[in-house]
Amino acid sequence: MLKRKASHVLAALFFFNSFFAINTAYAEQVVVYSARIEQLIKPMFDAFTKDTGIRVRYTTDKEGALLARLKAEGKNTPADMLITADAGNLWEAARAGLLMSVNSEVLSKNIPAHLRDPENAWFGLSVRARTIVYNTRKVDPTDLSTYEDLADAKWEKRLCLRTSKKVYNQSLVAMMIAEHGEAESEKVVRGWIANLATDPLSDDTRAMEFVAAGRCDVTLVNTYYYGRLMKKDPNLPLAIFWPNQNNSGVHVNISGAGITRHSKNEKAAIKLLEYLSSKKAQNLFADVNMEYPVNPEIEPDPVVAAWGSFKQNPMNIVKAGELQTTAVKLMDRAGYR
Ligand code: FE
């Protein structure tokens, strides 16, 4: 009898101890909704947990689904952080009141001002450069200069473009509107459409495949797609050209994050956000997708660095969100499908 009781006590003690151990190991946790896929985020979360003891739980989905979910959950959301690509999407989340303003000296120091929200609702964590890729057998790079110049008649039937339905070229045109105004930008977009060698294509990779196959000579893509394609087939006659180096600079966008307005673990979530901008996590964040670190003190991956350095457009990418609707309407008017 006594023996049995003792074993019960022991079992209870054991249970209590292991329960306690689990809970002290993860005294804090952060819940992340991420439009970046698992393989692009898990390495940093694991490193963060190892360094801080804070556990990270995450759900991945398309950005639209995550925004809808945050809206529907309202105050009851379990999410502390939203991670997504493109300033347009983060701007939309902020506008819908889903993110809180975060004042952090670490974030201000690690992230250049043009790559974070002026109201501090979201912060860039990696940089994606949208640039010109050309066929090395058909184009003399000294003939290339700017995005705007691709509207010139000398590129007639030589240009391929990705569809206007995807946010990437919407953001590019939005930033162009911020710089030149609507009338001037519409002239450029109309010129591009007049120069198309083929109907707009489904994605950046397909556009480059058309250029490589000689069906057009130039296109506009995010460099990580170029990196992926060249890794698969290094002999393709494709090269990168950095446009607008004597004026506005290369159009850049971000993937980034914000803390949800109804976060229950605000302190731990800010700690994670700061960690993601730090030296330790920046290469993990950028290199896995052949993007550029947002923190200018960190060198990109050697493969990416070999594409050369370039001047970025220093205008705040919040404009990509603010002018997105204007850009979409303009592209539609100009016949850009
Ligand atoms: Fe992409």
Side-chain angles (χ1 to χ4, degrees), residues 36-170:
R36 254 169 110 84
I37 58 172
E38 181 172 17
Q39 74 186 88
L40 298 186
I41 51 173
K42 193 170 181 298
M44 291 99 63
F45 292 166
D46 289 347
F48 175 73
T49 301
K50 211 174 142 213
D51 282 3
T52 63
I54 300 172
R55 177 192 194 186
V56 182
R57 287 174 47 216
Y58 55 87
T59 303
T60 63
D61 207 334
K62 294 256 183 276
E63 54 267 356
L66 293 177
L67 288 192
R69 191 161 158 184
L70 279 172
K71 280 178 197 166
E73 288 168 345
K75 277 186 187 148
N76 299 318
T77 186
D80 301 300
M81 181 184 286
L82 171 71
I83 294 182
T84 182
D86 206 282
N89 292 324
L90 289 160
W91 177 86
E92 175 60 33
R95 196 188 60 145
L98 301 173
L99 303 176
M100 71 163 77
S101 181
V102 172
N103 288 305
S104 154
E105 269 177 40
V106 175
L107 294 173
S108 306
K109 184 181 152 287
N110 287 347
I111 304 170
H114 67 294
L115 301 174
R116 50 184 155 87
D117 177 29
E119 314 279 327
N120 294 315
W122 45 263
F123 299 84
L125 293 171
S126 64
V127 174
R128 359 185 80 201
R130 194 154 187 82
T131 191
I132 294 177
V133 164
Y134 65 95
N135 185 313
T136 51
R137 294 186 189 132
K138 296 174 75 185
V139 176
D140 176 350
T142 60
D143 286 339
L144 291 162
S145 56
T146 63
Y147 301 103
E148 293 84 350
D149 178 66
L150 295 177
D152 189 279
K154 74 177 182 228
W155 299 106
E156 195 183 344
K157 294 203 168 68
R158 299 175 73 190
L159 177 66
C160 273
L161 285 178
R162 183 184 194 152
T163 167
S164 65
K165 305 289 176 284
K166 177 80 186 185
V167 70
Y168 296 155
N169 283 341
Q170 295 171 5

Side-chain angles (χ1 to χ4, degrees), residues 41 46 58 91 133 193 227 232 254 272 277 279 281 330-331:
I41 51 173
D46 289 347
Y58 55 87
W91 177 86
V133 164
I193 298 309
K232 239 172 60 187
I254 53 163
L272 174 58
S277 75
K279 194 160 190 163
L330 184 155
M331 289 157 104

Side-chain angles (χ1 to χ4, degrees), residues 208 222-232 240 290 303-304 307:
M208 280 183 291
N222 286 358
T223 53
Y224 55 90
Y225 290 111
Y226 170 83
R228 279 183 215 165
L229 190 63
M230 295 306 275
K231 200 171 164 190
K232 239 172 60 187
I240 280 177
M290 285 193 266
V303 173
V304 173
W307 303 335

